Amino acid sequence: MAEVAIPPIVAKRGWRGVILETAHVAGREMTSVTGRIGLGRAARRRWFPDRALALAHALELAEAHGVGLFDLGEAGPEE
């Protein structure tokens, strides 16, 4: 599959949505959920050691606030 370039969403003012990202922190793979669900509110980030829990939290936020979900994490073999 060809790589798709995604513009830096977080850098733009006024964006709304939930972003799921994977990072390696202190030798562990962690998943962060960053959500900006209302204009004028600061983005909030929450870290999860389990990707499934992070995905569930991200889906809940996106559905509850009617915003998009952007999964920028590394896809596993089942995805």
Side-chain angles (χ1 to χ4, degrees):
M1 177 183 284
E3 182 176 343
V4 177
I6 299 174
I9 299 167
V10 179
K12 296 181 184 252
R13 297 192 74 191
W15 69 274
R16 290 183 48 189
V18 179
I19 299 173
L20 194 69
E21 297 175 281
T22 302
H24 296 278
V25 180
R28 266 196 89 161
E29 187 172 284
M30 301 284 287
T31 304
S32 70
V33 175
T34 304
R36 180 154 182 205
I37 52 178
L39 297 177
R41 294 178 63 183
R44 296 191 64 199
R45 177 172 290 153
R46 195 165 162 197
W47 292 90
F48 295 86
D50 183 351
R51 181 169 164 72
L53 291 175
L55 182 57
H57 178 69
L59 285 169
E60 184 178 333
L61 273 179
E63 285 183 347
H65 297 284
V67 297
L69 171 61
F70 303 94
D71 187 351
L72 305 181
E74 298 173 6
E78 68 280 349
E79 294 183 35

